[in-house]
Amino acid sequence: MSMLSVENLNVWFGHGRDRVDAVKDATFAVARGESFGLVGESGSGKSTILRAITGLAPDWSGNITVDGKEIGKRREKAFFKTVQMVFQDPYASLHPRHSVDQVLGETLYLHGFTDIDTRVVNLLDDVGLGAKFRFRYPHQLSGGQRQRVAIARALAPAPEILLLDEPTSALDVSVQAEILNLLADLRTEHGLTYVMVSHDLSVVGHMCDRLAVMKDGEIVEIMDVATLRNMQATHPYSQHLLQASL
């Protein structure tokens, strides 16, 4: 059974004449423990799929199943114990007036944990920061450190699925590899399932087992990473992306 299944997903914004169909009839499945990539140009619908899964894009149709349970229009609290998302911009996703301790402690409290002090320290250790960062504020952290805090916050409820929306694209090139390696290590340590959005095929080639190529809201091809590395895509648009990445 798939850990995540998306069938005939349509996502739109606006209504009537103003309606824009951002995702059209998208279908894919992600096995437990797999890392699955969504690639394509900006505006192709990659991030919109993640937002539909988490409930941040309210207008959608189709079927979304998480660990065998079909997801309705409203997300129950238990859903967010299973699925968490890491956003693209660590500058925007952390409250500027909340310390790292508040960011992580509040998340743990909302998910019903009581041993918060111990868990905060463990989360910081998990993402390679350590307890010395506990009482710092976002403005006292580098971009890479902020993204580590954002990843720690996503790990706080002990989820099984992480949705990664361009998690390194807002970071300096020198820091990107560190974060990608951290995510790869965390996936192994915690047995996580990833769905990663990226426009960078080299990132997807490093991080993912399989990937879907998107164009104008549609999935045009699903391939494994060996096909990607061997430049053996079959769809003309996928071939164009591969050539452009060289």
Side-chain angles (χ1 to χ4, degrees):
M1 183 174 64
S2 300
M3 190 65 198
L4 173 69
S5 173
V6 173
E7 294 181 6
N8 308 122
L9 179 67
N10 298 284
V11 188
W12 62 92
F13 301 103
H15 299 277
R17 290 183 181 177
D18 297 326
R19 172 167 162 155
V20 175
D21 292 298
V23 176
K24 306 164 199 168
D25 205 28
T27 296
F28 62 90
V30 186
R32 184 181 296 276
E34 185 180 19
S35 182
F36 187 83
L38 292 169
V39 303
E41 296 171 342
S42 295
S44 60
K46 310 181 301 292
S47 297
T48 304
I49 287 179
L50 299 193
R51 291 176 177 275
I53 294 169
T54 56
L56 293 173
D59 293 326
W60 61 274
S61 65
N63 296 295
I64 301 172
T65 305
V66 173
D67 198 15
K69 300 183 186 107
E70 191 162 330
I71 302 304
K73 295 297 181 184
R74 289 190 60 193
R75 303 295 179 276
E76 304 297 328
K77 190 174 180 181
F79 170 84
F80 295 104
K81 275 189 170 289
T82 305
V83 180
Q84 284 287 311
M85 186 159 166
V86 177
F87 294 91
Q88 177 176 4
D89 187 358
Y91 300 88
S93 65
L94 298 177
H95 195 299
R97 294 185 182 177
H98 286 186
S99 67
V100 172
D101 184 69
Q102 287 173 288
V103 168
L104 300 181
E106 186 176 280
T107 304
L108 290 163
Y109 174 77
L110 288 171
H111 285 281
F113 294 102
T114 52
D115 51 342
I116 288 176
D117 282 355
T118 302
R119 284 181 177 272
V120 166
V121 173
N122 288 343
L123 285 167
L124 289 173
D125 286 340
D126 253 4
V127 298
L129 289 177
K132 65 186 178 186
F133 286 88
R134 183 172 176 181
F135 298 104
R136 296 189 190 180
Y137 287 84
H139 72 270
Q140 297 172 308
L141 304 175
S142 68
Q145 289 165 348
R146 288 179 194 175
Q147 194 63 301
R148 286 174 188 266
V149 173
I151 292 166
R153 179 179 58 189
L155 291 174
E160 296 183 74
I161 300 172
L162 276 192
L163 306 177
L164 305 167
D165 188 6
E166 303 254 17
T168 60
S169 64
L171 304 176
D172 291 340
V173 173
S174 59
V175 181
Q176 288 180 8
E178 293 176 16
I179 298 299
L180 292 174
N181 289 334
L182 169 66
L183 287 167
D185 291 343
L186 290 170
R187 178 185 160 209
T188 302
E189 289 168 21
H190 297 280
L192 294 165
T193 302
Y194 284 171
V195 181
M196 171 180 263
V197 161
S198 181
H199 64 274
D200 189 332
L201 289 175
S202 63
V203 167
V204 171
H206 174 64
M207 290 292 296
C208 298
D209 306 306
R210 292 186 304 131
L211 62 142
V213 179
M214 295 194 68
K215 182 180 188 299
D216 298 331
E218 298 182 47
I219 292 176
V220 298
E221 184 172 0
I222 294 177
M223 68 181 89
D224 59 31
V225 76
T227 302
L228 172 75
R229 289 172 179 161
N230 292 328
M231 305 286 286
Q232 292 175 334
T234 57
H235 192 278
Y237 179 71
S238 305
Q239 294 169 351
H240 165 74
L241 275 187
L242 287 171
Q243 290 297 329
S245 71
L246 293 178

